Amino acid sequence: MKPTFALTAASAALLMALAGCSSTAASDETADEWRTDARLGERVDRICFGSSIDNFRNATRNTVIVEKGVNDEYLIETVGRCYDLDHALSLSFDNSPGAGCISRGDAIYAYDSVFGPSQTDMPSVRCPIAAIYEWDEDAAEDEPADE
């Protein structure tokens, strides 16, 4: 099955520009540290992107944060270990045709190129979505400092 939703060329160009700026701190975390992160919000049923997502960051072996618009961010948890996710330069989603949304049971494909898959690439691993959570990057700033 081919992915039915992919980052646009404009988004891919933006990702290339931002690739050097992306934080990799999350990739050093243990697999479940994100579960106690103050930025983790409520679990949601789906994310409806309209036409595309704007960016993604902090990918680990089983999570990635995606941005939809200016203020909407979500942490997506995948089932098991998704080997390509923590090194991804672009993503695509395998979801119900015409849905415009992703939800539990859909999948992420991660690529090591900002332009997605090429004819010569090995197929990406299918990473089923286990859960989707709201993500509030500013919540970390609201935590009281340890004294």
Side-chain angles (χ1 to χ4, degrees), residues 15-84:
L15 287 176
M16 187 182 322
L18 295 175
C21 302
S22 296
S23 168
T24 57
S27 62
D28 296 332
E29 295 178 355
T30 59
D32 289 332
E33 266 186 48
W34 60 270
R35 293 185 189 278
T36 59
D37 195 304
R39 298 170 289 185
L40 186 66
E42 296 294 318
R43 188 171 176 165
V44 297
D45 292 332
R46 69 182 55 87
I47 307 171
C48 295
F49 292 113
S51 61
S52 69
I53 62 172
D54 295 321
N55 198 4
F56 71 94
R57 68 180 188 285
N58 291 355
T60 67
R61 66 180 188 190
N62 65 345
T63 62
V64 64
I65 297 169
V66 297
E67 297 176 17
K68 174 193 164 198
V70 178
N71 297 317
D72 296 325
E73 297 179 320
Y74 300 90
L75 182 137
I76 299 174
E77 176 188 16
T78 60
V79 175
R81 185 175 176 145
C82 183
Y83 295 101
D84 298 337

